[in-house]
Amino acid sequence: MKSTIRDVARAASVAVSTASMALNNKPGVSEKTKKKVRMVARELCYVPNHSARSLVTNDSKCLGLMVPEIVNPFYSAIVDKMATLAEGMGYTLLLGISNNKSNQEKAFVKTFASHRVLGVIIVPMLCEKPNTEHLDILKTARIPTIFCTDYYDEWTNGVKGNYSCVMCDLEQGEYEMIRHLIKLGHKEICFVSVDMDVHFTQLRQRGYQRAYEQEGLAADENRVFFADQARFQGGYDIADVLLKQNPDAIACINDIMTIGILKRLNERGVRIPEDIAVAGFDDMMFAELAQKPISTVRQPLQRICERTLEMLDKKIKKQKGAEESGKIILEKPELIIRSTT
Amino acid sequence: MKSTIRDVARAASVAVSTASMALNNKPGVSEKTKKKVRMVARELCYVPNHSARSLVTNDSKCLGLMVPEIVNPFYSAIVDKMATLAEGMGYTLLLGISNNKSNQEKAFVKTFASHRVLGVIIVPMLCEKPNTEHLDILKTARIPTIFCTDYYDEWTNGVKGNYSCVMCDLEQGEYEMIRHLIKLGHKEICFVSVDMDVHFTQLRQRGYQRAYEQEGLAADENRVFFADQARFQGGYDIADVLLKQNPDAIACINDIMTIGILKRLNERGVRIPEDIAVAGFDDMMFAELAQKPISTVRQPLQRICERTLEMLDKKIKKQKGAEESGKIILEKPELIIRSTT
DNA sequence: CTAAAGATTTGAAACGTTTCGGATAATAAT
DNA sequence: ATTATTATCCGAAACGTTTCAAATCTTTAG
């Protein structure tokens, strides 16, 4: 049914090996036969069988990309960039969407391994006690792995292995945003986070604290709040609590909660930013399109993705024992000032 | 380095074929050896090589999913649902993101073919003159293919082949929305589309017209408008033009443009829905989260994805010549009435 | 205790490629 | 014309599985 290289060879009256070399444009075969083989191949609609090739060359040309979700625009942006970058580098991406489930993550990693991906990129999910079985699989299979966007804290201690990570300097980002608010004259800045002991959350909070400390004043613990969920509703729900503190500014951990907060603030008739300035984080698409475009800090996703792939590629290429141990690369965030501050 | 089934067999002092049957839980091998082989396999961290298996069984267990974009929440929702459904059916998804480029689409289809995917799902891109080379590839490779969400008009005529499609009844959706507006007492309903001769756009417009015709009054051609782009800015820009027509309602072709329109209307001080009612289409996540939650029509994506996979699976399973010719399955849309109408 | 039947295991072929040492043909040097 | 050199081409092995007919071992029946 589907034509093989054998069919092509026969039709071009040439040996299988010659056909192979011709199609792969290897030296050692005359231009004339190359042309002929290629023509025949096109006529027969020959499509090389990736499995067969991968089997013999031991080169799948595939990368695994593991993300926690895909509907979330933050992650879909990453997938988008990774896909185009990987394609440009000649890799085919295998996508795993774990839906924040550890067992799914594990299942996908197994699929990756079985497809003999050359490397995998993990965009870790938000989770208090991350299950790391999938990492063990990757480790024993010796598959080069890089974290992107965040890592699990315990791993830095080398407990679980020495993985590298490329991510935004979240602490610095929040720090700069708070500095910006302070410079604008705000004193009573509330920080709203989420009620989960997650790594990337802690980093932002540290930035908040550092900004205050630099002013010589300790960050008031009473001014940090924890929403139930890092979603629209979480922001909406906590807005009333925030108002009781009479803040003159609110810095929120992400844009989507910020939208929730703004909605409630608007309902309560508070003017933004005259009464209260509000800042988000991440610079999601809707941050710009919101009723009142929100000030936020942008993670340089393009650069993060580029460097992630670059590092992974290097690891794959040399594969020498010299595994760079747990290097963490921080990319500069960018302050985006719009209308809410 | 990586252990093969040969290693497992040796370590379990058993033939390769026995090991294979044991690991695949085939009948004809004793429980005792099965247990032993499995244990050894776990110890050696054996992961079956998908390429080798795929090669001999001629069953890649892979499906190709082709989407035009991924950052667009409409498409990422589809990818999300497809991924989980496919996984449940034992398929691995290969994702192709064409970024609305025909040549990319073609390249991905080639990759699909080379991976010997069992079937492919195409979510077509919005394009006036769709290039269909990738379809030819699929056709000659005899790869079962289904369109999802939309199809290109010319294909229904059987010009290019007989592909099936599962999609929302867009005409009916727009029809119902306009009926709803009419029932609310609106007479001067503007329809805003985009300046592109795209199939799914036409369907909605037909729904608009049909609703008017049912009232005995012809749809006023002066009341349909074409924005430059089907994006936020397109909506924003055309809002001023709309206002000149003094409409009492606006029905827009999608939610994101609707957000743009609302933003401009808000700036111009028109009250929604008292002065003008506004309706969107698609029910994107942000439709609900908008400053004023917008009324819209929801495409039943879950069902659409389910049926798409179901049909594809059937095609794959029987593969008999009885290829159902160009069947188009329309799923019922759902009217979501919120605060803008 | 032996033959038949059934259960279990084995060996080899096959899948579609690439690779590589060797064979052949073409060209150059003598 | 003969040999040396080079440019092409070929055949066979290998990659890691599954499958299936044949071989071996166990059990049952006689």
Side-chain angles (χ1 to χ4, degrees):
Chain A
M1 179 83 61
K2 216 157 284 179
S3 54
T4 79
I5 203 175
R6 199 161 254 107
D7 302 324
V8 174
R10 194 176 315 121
S13 34
V14 100
V16 171
S17 50
T18 311
S20 170
M21 304 182 91
L23 291 172
N24 294 11
N25 201 20
K26 293 260 171 81
V29 30
S30 71
E31 256 337 294
K32 193 167 50 160
T33 46
K34 272 188 187 176
K35 198 155 288 179
K36 183 170 183 184
V37 170
R38 284 201 269 255
M39 222 190 57
V40 171
R42 198 164 324 118
E43 269 170 18
L44 295 186
C45 300
Y46 168 73
V47 179
N49 184 318
H50 171 266
S51 292
R53 172 184 304 196
S54 166
L55 190 55
V56 44
T57 59
N58 198 21
D59 176 6
S60 66
K61 294 189 190 314
C62 287
L63 255 35
L65 173 58
M66 185 84 246
V67 296
E69 303 173 34
I70 186 70
V71 283
N72 184 321
F74 180 75
Y75 296 120
S76 63
I78 291 176
V79 171
D80 184 41
K81 293 175 196 314
M82 287 291 188
T84 53
L85 288 170
E87 217 236 340
M89 297 165 78
Y91 291 116
T92 296
L93 258 202
L94 260 45
L95 182 64
I97 307 171
S98 71
N99 276 309
N100 294 296
K101 307 238 179 64
S102 296
N103 57 332
Q104 289 270 16
E105 225 172 15
K106 195 173 154 194
F108 274 116
V109 163
K110 270 186 190 160
T111 305
F112 290 168
S114 127
H115 278 257
R116 297 293 187 264
V117 294
L118 269 24
V120 350
I121 298 151
I122 296 191
V123 180
M125 54 191 190
L126 281 33
C127 180
E128 300 206 16
K129 294 254 166 275
N131 181 325
T132 59
E133 286 179 57
H134 59 302
L135 290 186
D136 300 337
I137 297 177
L138 290 169
K139 195 171 177 182
T140 61
R142 299 280 187 89
I143 302 179
T145 301
I146 296 206
F147 286 90
C148 177
T149 273
D150 198 5
Y151 59 94
Y152 294 151
D153 211 5
E154 48 181 304
W155 298 338
T156 53
N157 324 338
V159 182
K160 281 289 178 184
N162 44 8
Y163 300 93
S164 298
C165 174
V166 180
M167 65 184 294
C168 173
D169 191 342
L170 302 172
E171 178 181 334
Q172 179 69 14
E174 193 67 70
Y175 168 82
E176 288 180 11
M177 180 54 90
I178 303 296
R179 292 283 303 162
H180 163 248
L181 289 172
I182 290 176
K183 227 175 292 170
L184 251 38
H186 300 289
K187 301 281 183 200
E188 320 283 320
I189 307 172
C190 281
F191 179 72
V192 7
S193 178
V194 69
D195 191 16
M196 265 175 90
D197 193 22
V198 191
H199 183 234
F200 88 112
T201 278
Q202 300 159 358
L203 292 177
R204 293 175 207 206
Q205 191 169 347
R206 262 182 241 160
Y208 168 75
Q209 285 161 345
R210 183 153 64 89
Y212 260 97
E213 283 160 10
Q214 174 158 354
E215 290 297 303
L217 35 134
D220 186 347
E221 286 296 328
N222 290 334
R223 277 208 216 87
V224 348
F225 296 84
F226 299 93
D228 295 338
Q229 31 169 344
R231 321 238 69 236
F232 175 86
Q233 196 63 40
Y236 186 88
D237 290 342
I238 208 159
D240 285 326
V241 185
L242 293 170
L243 284 179
K244 292 208 189 97
Q245 289 284 323
N246 263 69
D248 50 18
I250 298 173
C252 182
I253 216 180
N254 71 20
D255 286 343
I256 183 73
M257 285 171 76
T258 305
I259 299 271
I261 293 173
L262 284 172
K263 172 125 179 193
R264 185 63 188 138
L265 258 38
N266 198 60
E267 289 173 0
R268 295 276 304 255
V270 354
R271 293 168 307 159
I272 316 288
E274 295 81 359
D275 299 338
I276 302 181
V278 179
F281 206 116
D282 286 343
D283 192 29
M284 304 274 74
M285 183 254 283
F286 49 79
E288 188 174 3
L289 306 187
Q291 184 75 5
K292 189 176 281 274
I294 76 187
S295 298
T296 187
V297 6
R298 173 185 299 163
Q299 299 196 37
L301 286 189
Q302 181 70 31
R303 264 198 66 65
I304 288 175
C305 291
E306 280 168 5
R307 294 218 58 184
T308 305
L309 276 177
E310 189 184 303
M311 284 183 67
L312 188 54
D313 193 49
K314 269 197 197 125
K315 271 198 183 186
I316 292 170
K317 291 283 165 57
K318 49 180 194 165
Q319 195 63 303
K320 303 181 196 176
E323 306 237 333
E324 325 207 10
S325 53
K327 195 187 270 184
I328 293 176
I329 301 203
L330 295 178
E331 292 291 340
K332 276 210 173 321
E334 186 187 351
L335 224 52
I336 308 282
I337 304 306
R338 288 197 268 249
S339 318
T340 57
T341 62
Chain B
M1 178 82 64
K2 217 159 284 178
S3 54
T4 80
I5 203 175
R6 199 160 252 110
D7 301 326
V8 175
R10 194 175 317 121
S13 33
V14 99
V16 171
S17 50
T18 311
S20 171
M21 306 182 91
L23 290 172
N24 294 15
N25 201 21
K26 291 260 170 83
V29 30
S30 71
E31 258 333 299
K32 194 166 52 161
T33 46
K34 271 188 187 175
K35 196 155 290 178
K36 185 170 181 186
V37 170
R38 283 202 268 255
M39 221 191 58
V40 171
R42 198 164 323 119
E43 268 171 15
L44 296 186
C45 300
Y46 169 73
V47 179
N49 185 318
H50 172 266
S51 292
R53 172 183 304 194
S54 167
L55 190 55
V56 43
T57 60
N58 198 22
D59 175 7
S60 67
K61 293 188 190 316
C62 288
L63 255 36
L65 172 57
M66 185 84 247
V67 297
E69 303 172 32
I70 186 70
V71 285
N72 184 322
F74 181 76
Y75 297 119
S76 62
I78 291 176
V79 171
D80 184 41
K81 292 175 197 312
M82 288 291 188
T84 54
L85 287 170
E87 217 237 341
M89 298 167 77
Y91 291 117
T92 296
L93 259 201
L94 258 46
L95 182 64
I97 307 171
S98 71
N99 277 310
N100 296 295
K101 307 240 179 63
S102 295
N103 57 331
Q104 289 269 17
E105 226 171 14
K106 194 173 155 194
F108 274 117
V109 163
K110 270 186 190 160
T111 305
F112 290 169
S114 129
H115 279 255
R116 297 293 188 264
V117 295
L118 270 23
V120 351
I121 299 151
I122 296 191
V123 180
M125 54 190 191
L126 281 33
C127 181
E128 301 207 17
K129 295 254 166 272
N131 182 324
T132 58
E133 287 179 55
H134 57 305
L135 290 186
D136 301 336
I137 298 178
L138 290 169
K139 196 171 177 184
T140 60
R142 299 281 187 88
I143 302 179
T145 301
I146 295 207
F147 287 89
C148 176
T149 273
D150 198 5
Y151 58 94
Y152 293 152
D153 211 4
E154 46 182 308
W155 298 339
T156 54
N157 323 339
V159 182
K160 281 291 179 183
N162 45 5
Y163 300 93
S164 298
C165 174
V166 181
M167 65 183 295
C168 173
D169 191 342
L170 301 172
E171 179 182 334
Q172 178 69 14
E174 193 67 70
Y175 169 81
E176 288 179 12
M177 180 53 92
I178 303 296
R179 293 283 304 161
H180 163 247
L181 289 172
I182 290 176
K183 225 175 295 171
L184 252 37
H186 299 291
K187 301 283 183 197
E188 320 284 319
I189 307 173
C190 282
F191 179 73
V192 6
S193 179
V194 69
D195 192 17
M196 266 174 89
D197 193 23
V198 192
H199 182 235
F200 88 112
T201 278
Q202 300 159 357
L203 292 177
R204 292 175 206 206
Q205 191 168 347
R206 262 182 242 160
Y208 167 75
Q209 285 162 345
R210 182 153 64 88
Y212 259 98
E213 282 160 11
Q214 174 157 352
E215 291 297 304
L217 35 134
D220 186 349
E221 286 297 329
N222 290 335
R223 276 207 217 88
V224 348
F225 295 85
F226 300 93
D228 294 338
Q229 32 169 344
R231 321 237 71 238
F232 175 86
Q233 196 62 41
Y236 185 88
D237 289 342
I238 208 159
D240 285 326
V241 185
L242 293 171
L243 283 178
K244 292 209 189 100
Q245 289 284 323
N246 263 68
D248 50 17
I250 297 172
C252 182
I253 216 179
N254 71 19
D255 286 343
I256 184 74
M257 284 170 76
T258 305
I259 298 270
I261 293 174
L262 285 171
K263 172 125 181 195
R264 184 64 187 141
L265 258 40
N266 198 59
E267 289 174 0
R268 295 275 305 255
V270 354
R271 292 167 306 157
I272 315 289
E274 294 82 359
D275 299 338
I276 301 181
V278 178
F281 206 116
D282 287 344
D283 192 29
M284 303 274 74
M285 183 254 281
F286 50 78
E288 189 174 2
L289 307 187
Q291 184 76 4
K292 188 176 282 273
I294 76 186
S295 298
T296 188
V297 5
R298 172 185 299 165
Q299 300 197 36
L301 286 189
Q302 182 69 32
R303 265 198 64 65
I304 288 176
C305 291
E306 280 168 5
R307 295 219 55 186
T308 304
L309 276 176
E310 190 184 300
M311 285 184 65
L312 187 55
D313 192 49
K314 270 197 196 124
K315 272 198 182 186
I316 292 171
K317 291 283 165 57
K318 49 180 195 167
Q319 195 63 302
K320 302 180 194 174
E323 305 236 335
E324 324 206 12
S325 55
K327 195 188 271 186
I328 293 174
I329 299 203
L330 296 178
E331 293 290 340
K332 275 208 172 323
E334 184 187 352
L335 223 53
I336 308 282
I337 305 306
R338 289 196 268 250
S339 317
T340 58
T341 63

